[in-house]
Amino acid sequence: MPTTSAWHGGGTVAALTIDVDAHTPVLARGRHYATHTSTMSHEQYGLDVGVPRLLALLREEEVSATFFIPGWVAEHHPRLAPTILEHGHEVAHHTYAHRSPTDMTDAEQRADFTRTLEVFARQKVPIAGYRAANWQANAATCELVAEHGLYDSSLMGHDRPYRVTTPRGQFLELPPHWSLDDWEQYAFLPDPHVGSIIQAPHTVLTMWRDEADAHARHQALFMLTLHPSLTGRPGRAEALRALITHMRDRGTRFARCVDIADAAGEDPQLTTHTITPPPTDAYR
Amino acid sequence: MPTTSAWHGGGTVAALTIDVDAHTPVLARGRHYATHTSTMSHEQYGLDVGVPRLLALLREEEVSATFFIPGWVAEHHPRLAPTILEHGHEVAHHTYAHRSPTDMTDAEQRADFTRTLEVFARQKVPIAGYRAANWQANAATCELVAEHGLYDSSLMGHDRPYRVTTPRGQFLELPPHWSLDDWEQYAFLPDPHVGSIIQAPHTVLTMWRDEADAHARHQALFMLTLHPSLTGRPGRAEALRALITHMRDRGTRFARCVDIADAAGEDPQLTTHTITPPPTDAYR
Amino acid sequence: MPTTSAWHGGGTVAALTIDVDAHTPVLARGRHYATHTSTMSHEQYGLDVGVPRLLALLREEEVSATFFIPGWVAEHHPRLAPTILEHGHEVAHHTYAHRSPTDMTDAEQRADFTRTLEVFARQKVPIAGYRAANWQANAATCELVAEHGLYDSSLMGHDRPYRVTTPRGQFLELPPHWSLDDWEQYAFLPDPHVGSIIQAPHTVLTMWRDEADAHARHQALFMLTLHPSLTGRPGRAEALRALITHMRDRGTRFARCVDIADAAGEDPQLTTHTITPPPTDAYR
Amino acid sequence: MPTTSAWHGGGTVAALTIDVDAHTPVLARGRHYATHTSTMSHEQYGLDVGVPRLLALLREEEVSATFFIPGWVAEHHPRLAPTILEHGHEVAHHTYAHRSPTDMTDAEQRADFTRTLEVFARQKVPIAGYRAANWQANAATCELVAEHGLYDSSLMGHDRPYRVTTPRGQFLELPPHWSLDDWEQYAFLPDPHVGSIIQAPHTVLTMWRDEADAHARHQALFMLTLHPSLTGRPGRAEALRALITHMRDRGTRFARCVDIADAAGEDPQLTTHTITPPPTDAYR
């Protein structure tokens, strides 16, 4: 078993993160989807029902969370981010339009990055962290994060916080993972085609409960990623409540990403990673 | 917890809806499938075995349901809709040929819409509601529904009934959802390629039982969508019976969509949505 | 509940059918796969390990089964069909090379059909039944089956035996179904790409046990389809054994397809289906 | 039940094999993925976290394993293979760059094969066995394995060790299988697109526990294949620990592949297979 690190203070820490993507992942597949009324209503559900339900659930369970919001969503729903702040949660940067950084030129990405910061600045929403759309960061992303003094939640090089060095400075990484994301379990749309089987909330609860217990044993950071249009549905919200209850009963403390990043920054045992790409001479 | 609304009268309401698509989803992938005898027999099963079995099960369990039927199916099986009416269930509009509205021009859709109404009119089958094929409604669909004074069951903007405003008037929405549909769980065909894993009825029963309990807690409308060629199979029909028993034991009342729509229309707490497409200047 | 029919004699009848496809489904995707040694060994396993293991299991459990064998497999493994006969099981026709009838011209299919009959005739293996590769029969298939006086197991128009009328006479159908096939649960190959998730035998056992119970309740024919390269694996073979035990404990009788077809032929309640394709004027 | 063979000494033997692929499967899909920082970090996790965690777990559970490592990985991480040896495990050949042998010319494959042997020779890491990338061996692979006197773990013709004859001599096969591989259960990446549903560790543990029991009953070789970037995650590592505990409680002995191959070589009951491709005149 690893030794205790400062950032979790001897106990177990978990981060609930909620990506309020709204219509952006669908529109990023093609602007014509804006006229697909059923599909748009499916995304609107996240804003109208999912976010209020999750805010109520978090209040009832007395848990603080971090909401990653694309600039486009914050701009077109100007009460969203301030309301989340008022509930005591954190708001963080999730690109402007939910396009993968690996699909943008460096110039496009820089414009996308700062445009989003400007949206939040106009709304007086403080931003301390960033998460790449689809967890598809590249070197330019990492440099932007370092340059702006943010923490990041897009890389998967560890299951504890770690430091990342770039040509433009360091940043703190709070790593997510595909297996702790509701998208792979619940997302389904026929057009654009998304997902395959829709998993039962009970199956997902069992998986995440086992993962939470194992993360506690290995002193890893349990970083859960949820979407209001998915986990905002009744059965899935109640599965989340059962997960929170289970984890709290075992002594887990839930914290905002910014607080975990601050504590981790003090941890002398933190490892440091670089973003050097592997050599590719053996590949085409 | 939300406050009680009129449409559920203080208790929990659920709608069982049965989409009698027969051969239409396959033929919509290509008319040449009409000569694929095995595949056609798979769809014919829904009409010959699935519908009678589900009608018997609903009678045994004393549950009223709503059958959404494409005009093509009603036209070529003229005893289908009247027989369903005689069992005390509702028959509703499910497009003419199970083509997605988003794949039709507005003129095509209008022709498809009225052609279906004419089929049911000739059969003296009253129509009060509509559901888009593949839940792929667009603005023209919504205007047609409003224009004809129907309720709709194609949008997913909430998990309770809501009002939708269009340039041609309002309509009442009874929202379905992908997670409460047997298609994503059971559908499998190799050619045309449909589905991936076939889920166990036990797994699906567990999921829907949890969802039903959570819908009751959140006073949401449990809108289940079934297909006779899928849930009409023995093991899945018995899983449905177990679900109905479970829900009734917890006080759920099953109602036809038309009755839920009527009651919801009286609800002063009903929210009203528009169908304005989101801005798309940030997308290609 | 339906009334009792003659073919099941008041009790419940199940058919275990085993499709000994060997290398044919892979070679039908492209002859170059013959040089993919790993993939070929995966198929060879079915012949070398799967068939003997299933024969031993059936002998231990005292169950008679029907083995559907492509002519190509019987021809290149001349001891296979006679050995299966010696164990008291039935051998039946499964096309020559496991190509879908819907992918062949009528002339190709006729040649494929009779070539296979000739292989079995040379081996003195009596053939009473037929199953189309991939359950993709068309009208020409049905006519060939009727013409040769065989029963068929390729159509899914009911879950009990039924009669099918063709321009060349009638035949008896013993319907299979995708949900009672091990292929959708277990098959996986990366190249040619087959399958997605590999299901746990325990999950499959639960599904089939529930289906068997429900088939008994609905007096339906439980027609299970297995592949030696899939269910011949240790854990899956033991799941099959547990299923057989469960079903026998509840009074199910296992019979060869030919015996079920003979008994069903005497059933006055048998329904008769035609193979008329649906009208296609509404489709492209 | 089969009779006892020498290679398992009357008890049950299992092999834990760990494929340390690191970045190679992704880079084999396209060298441009080297610049996808998130994706690369996901692979780096296997080296930085997965390997140490699995080494610790194996030490705690007192189990010896075999690590199949591509030459590229060993070359760019020169302390990896020696460290694994120091822990008492075996290191084996897993191609140079994780390209499928079926995608290489014979000359390319020969160069790939020997280049890898040279990497390990320089590191003084003895190599006794080989496994093809993606289990896609062809005839040239088999000849190379025989020529170099290695055992192989790429063919699936049996579930016990067997002998394979090639024009260049014989080798011993220790067969793996898709159903005993964590890749099909856990792997997920959006770009390059890998996997579909991420299965719960509990589901996978149940499947493998059942398979282990059945392998013991059938005296088959339980050959488990794991990847550090997948099973190295906390919840999956603990599921592996539970599997090891379960198997050891039932008397299973865990051994390195090289030791199983040595013992199997003494087994007079070993079957011998050839790698002759099936005839293809019936196929295009």
Side-chain angles (χ1 to χ4, degrees):
Chain A
M1 291 292 92
T3 55
T4 302
S5 293
W7 61 268
H8 50 74
T12 315
V13 174
L16 296 189
T17 64
I18 298 170
D19 291 2
V20 191
D21 298 337
H23 313 77
T24 61
V26 171
L27 294 177
R29 303 277 197 110
R31 67 190 304 174
H32 68 285
Y33 286 118
T35 64
H36 287 218
T37 314
S38 288
T39 304
M40 288 298 106
S41 73
H42 181 271
E43 305 309 310
Q44 185 71 28
Y45 178 95
L47 289 171
D48 289 352
V49 183
V51 167
R53 181 168 288 151
L54 292 177
L55 286 176
L57 189 154
L58 294 172
R59 191 184 57 235
E60 288 157 21
E61 302 300 324
E62 299 180 0
V63 167
S64 293
T66 300
F67 289 69
F68 289 91
I69 308 182
W72 184 94
V73 177
E75 192 168 34
H76 291 100
H77 304 275
R79 281 301 303 146
L80 178 67
T83 301
I84 288 167
L85 284 188
E86 287 158 17
H87 277 73
H89 305 295
E90 176 191 4
V91 169
H93 187 318
H94 192 33
T95 74
Y96 180 75
H98 210 275
R99 290 172 60 203
S100 290
T102 50
D103 290 341
M104 291 191 263
T105 66
D106 287 1
E108 284 174 334
Q109 187 174 188
R110 179 167 291 272
D112 178 283
F113 199 97
T114 50
R115 185 180 182 182
T116 303
L117 288 175
E118 287 160 13
V119 169
F120 287 119
R122 279 196 299 275
Q123 301 184 350
K124 306 201 187 313
V125 172
I127 296 296
Y130 171 89
R131 172 174 286 172
N134 307 311
W135 291 325
Q136 296 288 292
N138 59 16
T141 320
C142 294
E143 295 184 17
L144 281 163
V145 169
E147 193 180 320
H148 287 85
L150 306 181
Y151 70 81
D152 179 67
S153 185
S154 317
L155 306 181
M156 306 185 179
H158 210 300
D159 46 35
R160 296 185 199 164
Y162 61 95
R163 226 173 247 118
V164 178
T165 304
T166 82
R168 305 226 173 210
Q170 289 195 330
F171 61 85
L172 210 293
E173 177 62 41
L174 301 180
H177 193 254
W178 303 110
S179 63
L180 297 173
D181 178 15
D182 64 355
W183 187 271
E184 286 69 41
Q185 304 297 323
Y186 295 143
F188 181 87
L189 282 177
D191 183 27
H193 182 66
V194 168
S196 50
I197 290 293
I198 297 172
Q199 295 289 78
H202 178 80
T203 303
V204 177
L205 170 60
T206 302
M207 172 163 69
W208 288 346
R209 210 153 47 184
D210 287 352
E211 281 292 353
D213 291 351
H215 275 66
R217 176 171 184 159
H218 288 274
Q219 300 192 358
L221 174 63
F222 187 80
M223 162 73 71
L224 194 65
T225 300
L226 307 169
H227 297 79
S229 64
L230 302 176
T231 291
R233 306 272 330 163
R236 299 161 181 174
E238 292 308 313
L240 172 62
R241 191 193 304 275
L243 176 67
I244 291 172
T245 302
H246 171 91
M247 291 173 70
R248 208 172 31 206
D249 287 354
R250 274 155 189 74
T252 300
R253 191 162 48 82
F254 294 91
R256 301 181 309 165
C257 287
V258 59
D259 299 325
I260 298 173
D262 283 351
E266 309 292 312
D267 184 356
Q269 300 182 20
L270 224 59
T271 56
T272 300
H273 297 213
T274 62
I275 55 168
T276 322
T280 58
D281 46 290
Y283 294 98
R284 288 181 279 225
Chain B
M1 291 290 93
T3 56
T4 302
S5 293
W7 62 268
H8 51 74
T12 315
V13 173
L16 296 188
T17 64
I18 298 169
D19 291 3
V20 191
D21 298 337
H23 313 77
T24 62
V26 171
L27 293 177
R29 303 278 196 108
R31 67 190 305 176
H32 68 285
Y33 286 119
T35 63
H36 287 218
T37 314
S38 288
T39 303
M40 288 299 106
S41 73
H42 181 270
E43 305 309 309
Q44 186 70 30
Y45 177 95
L47 290 170
D48 290 351
V49 183
V51 168
R53 181 168 288 151
L54 292 178
L55 285 175
L57 189 154
L58 294 172
R59 192 184 58 236
E60 289 158 20
E61 302 301 324
E62 299 181 0
V63 168
S64 293
T66 300
F67 288 70
F68 290 91
I69 308 182
W72 184 94
V73 177
E75 193 168 35
H76 290 100
H77 303 276
R79 281 302 302 147
L80 178 67
T83 300
I84 288 167
L85 284 187
E86 288 158 16
H87 278 73
H89 304 296
E90 176 191 4
V91 169
H93 188 318
H94 192 34
T95 74
Y96 181 74
H98 211 276
R99 290 172 60 203
S100 290
T102 50
D103 290 342
M104 292 191 262
T105 66
D106 288 0
E108 284 175 333
Q109 187 174 187
R110 179 167 290 273
D112 178 283
F113 198 97
T114 51
R115 183 179 183 182
T116 304
L117 288 175
E118 287 161 12
V119 170
F120 286 119
R122 280 197 299 276
Q123 300 184 352
K124 305 200 187 315
V125 173
I127 296 297
Y130 170 89
R131 172 174 287 171
N134 306 311
W135 291 325
Q136 295 290 292
N138 59 16
T141 319
C142 293
E143 295 184 18
L144 281 164
V145 169
E147 193 180 321
H148 287 86
L150 305 181
Y151 71 81
D152 179 67
S153 184
S154 316
L155 307 181
M156 305 185 179
H158 210 298
D159 46 34
R160 295 185 199 166
Y162 61 95
R163 226 173 247 118
V164 178
T165 304
T166 81
R168 305 225 173 212
Q170 287 194 332
F171 62 84
L172 210 293
E173 177 63 40
L174 302 181
H177 192 254
W178 304 110
S179 63
L180 296 174
D181 178 15
D182 64 355
W183 187 271
E184 287 69 40
Q185 304 297 323
Y186 295 143
F188 181 87
L189 282 177
D191 183 29
H193 182 65
V194 168
S196 50
I197 289 294
I198 297 172
Q199 294 289 78
H202 178 81
T203 304
V204 177
L205 171 59
T206 302
M207 172 164 68
W208 288 346
R209 210 152 48 184
D210 287 351
E211 281 292 353
D213 291 350
H215 276 65
R217 176 171 184 158
H218 289 275
Q219 299 192 357
L221 173 63
F222 186 79
M223 162 73 72
L224 194 66
T225 300
L226 308 169
H227 296 79
S229 64
L230 302 177
T231 291
R233 307 273 329 165
R236 298 161 182 174
E238 292 309 314
L240 172 62
R241 191 192 305 276
L243 176 67
I244 291 172
T245 302
H246 171 90
M247 290 173 69
R248 208 172 31 207
D249 287 353
R250 273 154 189 75
T252 300
R253 191 162 49 81
F254 292 92
R256 300 181 310 164
C257 287
V258 61
D259 299 325
I260 298 172
D262 283 351
E266 308 292 312
D267 183 357
Q269 299 183 21
L270 225 59
T271 56
T272 299
H273 298 213
T274 61
I275 54 168
T276 322
T280 58
D281 46 290
Y283 294 98
R284 288 181 280 222
Chain C
M1 291 292 93
T3 55
T4 302
S5 293
W7 62 269
H8 49 75
T12 314
V13 173
L16 296 188
T17 64
I18 298 169
D19 291 3
V20 191
D21 299 337
H23 313 76
T24 62
V26 171
L27 293 178
R29 303 277 196 110
R31 68 190 304 176
H32 68 285
Y33 286 117
T35 63
H36 287 216
T37 313
S38 288
T39 303
M40 288 299 106
S41 73
H42 180 271
E43 305 308 309
Q44 185 71 30
Y45 178 95
L47 290 170
D48 290 351
V49 183
V51 168
R53 182 169 287 152
L54 293 178
L55 285 175
L57 189 154
L58 295 172
R59 191 183 58 235
E60 288 158 20
E61 303 301 324
E62 299 181 0
V63 167
S64 293
T66 300
F67 289 70
F68 290 91
I69 309 182
W72 184 93
V73 177
E75 193 169 33
H76 290 100
H77 304 276
R79 281 302 302 148
L80 178 68
T83 300
I84 289 167
L85 284 187
E86 286 158 18
H87 278 73
H89 304 295
E90 177 192 3
V91 169
H93 187 318
H94 192 34
T95 74
Y96 180 74
H98 211 275
R99 290 173 60 202
S100 291
T102 51
D103 290 342
M104 292 191 261
T105 66
D106 288 0
E108 284 174 334
Q109 186 174 186
R110 179 167 290 273
D112 178 283
F113 198 97
T114 51
R115 184 179 183 184
T116 304
L117 288 176
E118 287 160 12
V119 169
F120 287 119
R122 279 197 298 276
Q123 300 183 352
K124 306 200 186 315
V125 172
I127 296 296
Y130 170 88
R131 172 174 286 171
N134 306 311
W135 291 324
Q136 295 290 291
N138 60 15
T141 321
C142 294
E143 295 183 18
L144 281 164
V145 169
E147 193 180 321
H148 286 86
L150 305 181
Y151 70 82
D152 179 67
S153 184
S154 317
L155 307 181
M156 304 184 181
H158 210 300
D159 47 34
R160 295 184 200 165
Y162 60 96
R163 227 173 245 118
V164 179
T165 303
T166 80
R168 305 226 172 211
Q170 289 194 330
F171 61 84
L172 210 292
E173 177 62 39
L174 302 181
H177 192 254
W178 303 110
S179 62
L180 297 173
D181 178 15
D182 64 354
W183 188 270
E184 286 70 39
Q185 305 297 323
Y186 295 142
F188 181 87
L189 282 178
D191 183 27
H193 182 65
V194 167
S196 49
I197 289 294
I198 297 172
Q199 295 288 78
H202 178 81
T203 304
V204 177
L205 170 59
T206 302
M207 172 164 69
W208 288 346
R209 210 153 48 183
D210 287 351
E211 281 293 352
D213 291 350
H215 277 65
R217 176 173 184 158
H218 289 276
Q219 299 192 357
L221 174 63
F222 186 81
M223 161 74 71
L224 193 66
T225 300
L226 307 169
H227 295 79
S229 65
L230 302 176
T231 293
R233 306 275 327 166
R236 298 161 182 175
E238 291 309 313
L240 172 62
R241 191 193 304 275
L243 175 68
I244 291 172
T245 303
H246 172 90
M247 291 173 70
R248 208 172 32 207
D249 287 353
R250 274 154 190 74
T252 300
R253 192 161 48 81
F254 293 91
R256 302 181 309 165
C257 287
V258 62
D259 299 325
I260 297 172
D262 284 350
E266 308 292 313
D267 183 357
Q269 299 183 21
L270 223 60
T271 56
T272 299
H273 297 213
T274 61
I275 55 168
T276 322
T280 57
D281 46 289
Y283 294 97
R284 287 181 281 223
Chain D
M1 292 292 92
T3 55
T4 301
S5 294
W7 61 269
H8 50 74
T12 315
V13 173
L16 296 188
T17 64
I18 297 169
D19 291 2
V20 191
D21 299 337
H23 313 76
T24 62
V26 171
L27 294 178
R29 303 276 197 108
R31 67 190 303 176
H32 68 285
Y33 287 117
T35 63
H36 287 217
T37 314
S38 288
T39 303
M40 289 299 106
S41 74
H42 181 271
E43 305 309 309
Q44 185 70 29
Y45 178 95
L47 290 170
D48 290 351
V49 183
V51 167
R53 181 169 288 152
L54 292 178
L55 285 176
L57 189 154
L58 294 172
R59 191 183 58 234
E60 288 157 21
E61 303 300 323
E62 298 181 0
V63 167
S64 293
T66 300
F67 288 71
F68 289 91
I69 308 181
W72 185 94
V73 177
E75 193 168 34
H76 290 99
H77 303 276
R79 280 301 303 147
L80 178 67
T83 300
I84 288 167
L85 283 188
E86 287 158 17
H87 278 72
H89 306 295
E90 177 192 2
V91 169
H93 187 317
H94 192 34
T95 75
Y96 180 74
H98 212 275
R99 290 172 61 203
S100 290
T102 51
D103 290 341
M104 292 191 261
T105 66
D106 288 1
E108 284 174 334
Q109 186 173 186
R110 180 166 291 272
D112 178 283
F113 199 96
T114 50
R115 183 179 183 184
T116 305
L117 288 175
E118 287 160 12
V119 170
F120 287 119
R122 280 198 298 276
Q123 300 183 350
K124 305 200 187 315
V125 172
I127 296 296
Y130 171 89
R131 172 174 285 171
N134 307 311
W135 290 325
Q136 296 288 294
N138 59 15
T141 320
C142 294
E143 294 183 18
L144 281 163
V145 169
E147 194 180 320
H148 287 86
L150 305 181
Y151 71 82
D152 179 67
S153 185
S154 317
L155 307 181
M156 305 185 180
H158 210 299
D159 45 35
R160 294 184 200 166
Y162 61 95
R163 226 173 245 117
V164 178
T165 303
T166 81
R168 305 225 174 213
Q170 289 195 328
F171 62 83
L172 211 292
E173 177 63 40
L174 302 181
H177 192 253
W178 304 109
S179 63
L180 297 173
D181 178 16
D182 64 355
W183 187 270
E184 287 69 41
Q185 305 297 322
Y186 295 142
F188 181 87
L189 282 177
D191 183 28
H193 182 66
V194 168
S196 49
I197 289 294
I198 297 172
Q199 294 289 78
H202 178 80
T203 304
V204 177
L205 170 60
T206 302
M207 171 163 69
W208 288 345
R209 211 153 47 184
D210 287 352
E211 281 292 352
D213 291 350
H215 276 66
R217 177 171 183 159
H218 289 275
Q219 300 192 358
L221 174 63
F222 186 81
M223 162 74 70
L224 193 65
T225 300
L226 307 169
H227 296 79
S229 63
L230 302 176
T231 292
R233 306 273 330 164
R236 299 161 181 175
E238 292 308 314
L240 172 63
R241 191 193 305 275
L243 176 68
I244 290 172
T245 303
H246 171 90
M247 291 174 69
R248 208 171 32 207
D249 286 354
R250 274 155 189 73
T252 300
R253 190 162 49 82
F254 293 91
R256 301 180 310 165
C257 287
V258 61
D259 299 325
I260 298 173
D262 284 350
E266 307 292 312
D267 183 356
Q269 299 182 20
L270 225 59
T271 56
T272 299
H273 297 213
T274 62
I275 55 169
T276 322
T280 57
D281 46 291
Y283 294 97
R284 288 180 281 224

